[in-house]
Amino acid sequence: MHTLYEIQTDIPTFIHITEAKVHDQRAMDEIPYEQGAYYVFDRGYFDLKRLYHINEIEAYFVIRQRGNLQYEVISEGDTMHSADGVLSDQVIRLTNYFTKQKYPAVLRRVTYYAADKNKTFVYLTNNMEIPATQVALLYKYRWRVELFFKWIKQHLKIKSFWGTTETAVRIQIYSAITAYCMVAIVEHDLKLHRSTYEVLRILSASLLDKTPIKELFTKKPEYVADDGQLTLNFI
């Protein structure tokens, strides 16, 4: 399941389901790109021709570099006294005959050291204006989609399927996505300031409760043991 995940709302805005044998890069052709938007990709989506298409429609991308690219440095920012993890900030042009046919424009190459992971990352982007630290931060936000997949698998039982036909699998996936979106919308519209999982947990325990949703999150939860089972009540 290829997912376009909006970090401002924590809601998937587009999903595309393919067979496992379909390469990730092909899913990039289905994304409804918007001018001026930022798209952050995992390295599995590294395809210079498709990235250049994003550049042509005046949208922006951030992706980790994959492989040993051949390039020349057009200009380089001053990072000598940088204390924010940026090791280099370069504007480059690809020099290999095949790669420059796929991406004929210049690219920005940012090398960043993440102290918390003790690891160095190399990012490519077509945005030449934002600070180099912002490039690294944008890629860090990509982890939110990984948390979304983890949440789906753990709390909506996607690890096991009710049916094995393609239609059955698609129905369960779409049901899980719909449930997630509904919970996220409730949290956002009611300004609950709670995690999506916490909202789902409380709603699941109150399915037969006639209490208005807003009141469910203003009441103090009380956990009561009943014959070895844990029941969630609100007082």
Side-chain angles (χ1 to χ4, degrees):
M1 183 175 71
H2 307 272
T3 306
L4 185 61
Y5 191 78
E6 186 175 285
I7 61 172
Q8 291 179 316
T9 59
D10 277 328
I11 291 179
T13 58
F14 169 80
I15 61 173
H16 178 58
I17 301 172
T18 65
E19 296 179 355
K21 63 182 180 181
V22 176
H23 199 285
D24 290 347
Q25 297 169 355
R26 293 182 59 184
M28 297 173 70
D29 299 332
E30 306 297 329
I31 296 175
Y33 297 108
E34 297 180 19
Q35 184 178 5
Y38 286 83
Y39 297 90
V40 185
F41 295 97
D42 178 69
R43 281 194 298 182
Y45 294 87
F46 191 89
D47 184 282
L48 289 169
K49 186 175 181 179
R50 290 178 168 94
L51 291 175
Y52 185 64
H53 170 68
I54 298 176
N55 183 71
E56 285 187 305
I57 63 175
E58 298 182 355
Y60 303 106
F61 64 81
V62 175
I63 191 169
R64 283 180 61 189
Q65 179 180 311
R66 191 179 71 180
N68 296 318
L69 290 179
Q70 298 178 28
Y71 61 88
E72 60 177 343
V73 178
I74 306 299
S75 63
E76 188 159 1
D78 182 14
T79 57
M80 182 177 297
H81 303 291
S82 176
D84 49 19
V86 179
L87 302 181
S88 68
D89 182 10
Q90 304 168 319
V91 176
I92 66 171
R93 187 184 302 277
L94 301 178
T95 56
N96 178 272
Y97 175 79
F98 296 103
T99 56
K100 70 180 181 181
Q101 293 296 317
K102 295 178 180 178
Y103 200 101
V106 295
L107 279 163
R108 187 178 182 186
R109 185 177 186 271
V110 175
T111 306
Y112 178 81
Y113 172 72
D116 56 335
K117 297 181 180 295
N118 191 29
K119 191 174 181 180
T120 299
F121 299 93
V122 179
Y123 306 112
L124 296 177
T125 181
N126 62 332
N127 189 301
M128 307 295 167
E129 305 299 330
I130 62 176
T133 51
Q134 188 70 24
V135 175
L137 182 60
L138 283 171
Y139 191 84
K140 186 176 181 180
Y141 282 146
R142 197 200 62 81
W143 181 246
R144 302 270 282 274
V145 74
E146 300 295 345
L147 295 179
F148 162 73
F149 282 129
K150 181 179 180 181
W151 189 93
I152 287 290
K153 292 176 182 178
Q154 287 182 344
H155 306 301
L156 295 179
K157 310 303 181 185
I158 276 292
K159 283 186 176 180
S160 59
F161 290 95
W162 299 323
T164 55
T165 65
E166 180 180 348
T167 299
V169 171
R170 284 178 177 270
I171 288 174
Q172 186 168 354
I173 291 176
Y174 282 121
S175 298
I177 298 297
T178 301
Y180 180 92
C181 290
M182 291 176 66
V183 172
I185 289 170
V186 167
E187 192 283 328
H188 178 269
D189 289 356
L190 297 182
K191 298 179 174 59
L192 300 177
H193 304 295
R194 307 242 187 163
S195 68
T196 307
Y197 170 59
E198 186 178 2
V199 175
L200 178 67
R201 181 170 58 87
I202 294 176
L203 291 179
S204 299
S206 312
L207 290 177
L208 301 180
D209 196 324
K210 295 182 179 180
T211 304
I213 293 179
K214 186 73 172 180
E215 293 184 20
L216 290 175
F217 296 91
T218 57
K219 293 182 177 182
K220 182 180 179 181
E222 180 183 68
Y223 297 91
V224 180
D226 182 16
D227 296 332
Q229 295 185 346
L230 197 62
T231 303
L232 178 64
N233 296 324
F234 291 87
I235 57 175

